[in-house]
Amino acid sequence: MVSTQKPHKPSWSLGDIAYEGIDRGVIVDNRDWFYLVAASSFVEILSDLYAANLGVYYAGDDEACEWLARKWEPEEMQHGAALRRYVSCVWPDFDWERGFEGFRADYAPYCQTALLGPTRTLEMAARCVVETGTSSFYAMLRNASPEPVLAEVAGHIRDDEVGHYKGFYHFYRQYQKREPHSRWRVARELWRRVAEVDSEDAYLAVRNVSLVHAPERPFERKDFIQFRNRVRALMTRHYPFQPAVKMLVKPLDLPGPVRNVVIPFLVGGARRVVGGRSTR
Ligand SMILES: [Fe+2]
Ligand SMILES: [Fe+2]
């Protein structure tokens, strides 16, 4: 149950993070980790745009709008702020503001209320996919980080993202009662959103990090594909495939025996997809 009655108290804040204790030497020369953390900070801080869109889309649903405004958006913004501060501690020469402005300008056209799900029920299911992706991504960063303070930040963010999943799932269940959709229709929407995971936000965020960090080198699709393939190598070792698949299929409310067959099948498929090398 999502509580929206009491003022939301965050479970952690930037003041809890020992930034002064960062073991800079183990990460400062790792370009992939710099790109991962900086690009993630861009995507998180843009949450004010996503929140504005969702607020418009769910106007009239006071419980959902209050939860989005009082819990979801401030936590997403804090994720961005925590990662930004990490970047400024480890890579102080990086002009974060300039990179972020480039990303915001590039990505804003993709961020419109008109592009949200075809119905309120299906958009809630789609948000569960997004939060499955973010919670699993930060679990991977926590597990794989070569630096302990970054692992701590990623762990806090991962826990928040799991909470977001639970919130959206709660609202999804409410909408399913009011405006039901068939399991098949929900599955199609989940699949559509999974297929979008490789969409523009990650590419544009990494591109704008590169444009500021290495302006002398043009950043092309192939550079992004190479970067993504190196991240996939991290994923094969550190990504929580099984929990992610369980979260992904939960909105389908599959009967137990079907779930027991489907989950291992999808986990195996996801591992093979990540283990392969894409050239697209
Ligand atoms: Fe987040
Ligand atoms: Fe989230």
Side-chain angles (χ1 to χ4, degrees), residues 70-92:
R70 294 171 70 117
K71 180 170 169 72
W72 183 75
E73 182 183 357
E75 288 187 354
E76 298 293 12
M77 297 299 284
Q78 178 164 283
H79 300 168
L83 294 167
R84 179 183 180 177
R85 187 177 297 178
Y86 191 89
V87 170
S88 72
C89 288
V90 178
W91 300 282

Side-chain angles (χ1 to χ4, degrees), residues 11 106 125 184 233:
S11 59
D106 284 353
W184 170 241

